[in-house]
Amino acid sequence: MWGMISAPETAGLLAFLVQLTGAERALEVGTFTGYATLALAEALPAGGVVVTCEADENWGASGAPFWAQAGVADRIDLRLGDALATLAGLEPASFDLCFVDADKGNYGAYYERRSRCSGRAASW
């Protein structure tokens, strides 16, 4: 399962995209250990937020101590449960940056919900 964790280069790229685009709200589909979530949250300006979706409660909770230690827990909104259901409940164009790194079988369905991103930056 550790092959599913984001690489340091991915985390660095996400942080760079946040800063480059001036993103204030990020959406992440697939939290896993919360490593990419942490990179996004650290790069956001004060008042920014990452909404991260994770189906597995145990994996979703695994990043929380590290988010708190880094001082960014208040910037992270963890949504546990089916990501497609979570996405359906989000306002269109409510995110500046979207990062999808979840179950590959649903990528088509996640792509269909891309209207949740305003278009500043999206990684589908």
Side-chain angles (χ1 to χ4, degrees):
M1 293 193 66
W2 290 106
M4 297 188 327
I5 196 167
S6 294
E9 295 84 2
T10 301
L13 176 62
L14 290 171
F16 175 70
L17 288 173
V18 167
Q19 294 168 348
L20 179 70
T21 63
E24 295 177 7
R25 291 184 47 82
L27 172 67
E28 176 186 39
V29 180
T31 311
F32 193 44
T33 63
Y35 178 57
T37 314
L38 177 62
L40 288 165
E42 287 182 322
L44 288 170
V49 67
V50 178
V51 173
T52 184
C53 307
E54 177 57 48
D56 186 306
E57 183 177 322
N58 294 321
W59 282 121
S62 69
F66 302 101
W67 303 335
Q69 184 178 5
V72 296
D74 62 328
R75 296 181 186 182
I76 299 171
D77 179 0
L78 173 63
R79 307 280 180 101
L80 295 172
D82 180 72
L84 291 172
T86 300
L87 293 174
L90 298 174
E91 291 292 321
S94 57
F95 296 94
D96 305 313
L97 183 137
C98 296
F99 175 58
V100 177
D101 189 22
D103 57 311
K104 309 310 182 229
N106 275 322
Y107 267 35
Y110 297 139
Y111 180 78
E112 291 303 318
R113 285 158 179 83
R114 69 189 179 279
S115 66
R116 301 313 183 254
C117 277
S118 65
R120 282 193 201 173
S123 176
W124 294 96

